Every structure is written in structure tokens, then in C-alpha cells.
Amino acid sequence: MNKRDIAGYLGIDRSTLYNWEKNKPNLYTTVMKGLAFDDMIEKAEQNLNQLKELQKNFGKIPPQYLKKSE
């Protein structure tokens, strides 16, 4: 996502986002980290869905092949 897309997503002008970056770096950093976190959550959910699909297609791993936690 570029800055224009981010500004649109947040419902602000692109210039507002640039002003935050320049004049309110803590706010800008917080917003950008929040967006990055949302992206990571989305990717994790996609990975989980892929793993569930693999499990469905190949069945469960037999218990003797699972590493036991100590």
C-alpha cells in the first residue's frame, strides 16, 4: 500500500499523512505499525487456512510422528 492508499484507507488527505510523518512522528509511526500489524494478522489467517486445507486433504499426523513437548 502506498501513502495515497493509506490516506484513503484512513479517510484523510495525503498531505495530512505527510504532515504527520514530518511534524508528529510518533503518531505516524503508531499508525504505520498498526497497519503493518493488521497486514501480519491477515497473512497469519491466510497461512492458517492453508494449513487447515492441507490437514483436510492429507489427514492428521499420526501421534508417533509428533514431537513431544517436555
Side-chain angles (χ1 to χ4, degrees), residues 47-60:
N47 289 339
L48 176 60
N49 290 335
Q50 289 176 344
L51 287 171
K52 285 180 179 180
E53 188 64 27
L54 284 172
Q55 184 181 37
K56 180 178 139 186
N57 290 336
F58 296 108
K60 293 188 176 183

Side-chain angles (χ1 to χ4, degrees), residues 3 17 25 37 41 46 54 61:
K3 289 186 180 179
L17 190 59
F37 182 78
I41 293 295
Q46 290 171 353
L54 284 172
I61 299 172

